[in-house]
Amino acid sequence: MPIYEYQCQSCGHEYEALQKLNAQPLIDCPACSKPQLMKKISAAGFRLKGGGWYETDFKSGTKKNVAGDSAPSTSESKKPAASSGGGACSKTSS
């Protein structure tokens, strides 16, 4: 959930609120109780909660540590790189 910044146009109080993306903007100032709270334009922050995702999630077989793997073997390094043709949706003629 994003953290939005608000500022009261009446008393100048600044306030941060944790809100859902589709939540209505707050109006009432928590300091002076006047309906003068305005959302500030800023980069919305967010909070990560819970256990999170790890590189070992949904891995199968013996390949568990992708980041700690050694350099590719010589047979793998000689393979030519696949070309996508400069875009994600390249067309091929038949």
Side-chain angles (χ1 to χ4, degrees), residues 42-60:
S42 64
F46 63 96
R47 182 184 311 169
L48 298 174
K49 289 181 73 175
W53 296 91
Y54 296 94
E55 69 178 24
T56 56
D57 289 348
F58 304 107
K59 300 276 186 212
S60 62

Side-chain angles (χ1 to χ4, degrees), residues 1-5 17 21 39-47:
M1 269 196 284
I3 301 171
Y4 293 103
E5 294 180 90
L21 289 172
K39 188 184 284 189
K40 293 172 68 175
I41 297 176
S42 64
F46 63 96
R47 182 184 311 169

Side-chain angles (χ1 to χ4, degrees), residues 3-49:
I3 301 171
Y4 293 103
E5 294 180 90
Y6 289 89
Q7 184 173 15
C8 180
Q9 300 299 306
S10 178
C11 69
H13 177 72
E14 292 186 354
Y15 178 69
E16 291 182 347
L18 182 67
Q19 292 182 285
K20 291 183 178 183
L21 289 172
N22 59 354
Q24 293 293 319
L26 300 176
I27 298 171
D28 296 326
C29 176
C32 68
S33 300
K34 293 182 181 175
Q36 297 291 317
L37 206 57
M38 299 291 291
K39 188 184 284 189
K40 293 172 68 175
I41 297 176
S42 64
F46 63 96
R47 182 184 311 169
L48 298 174
K49 289 181 73 175

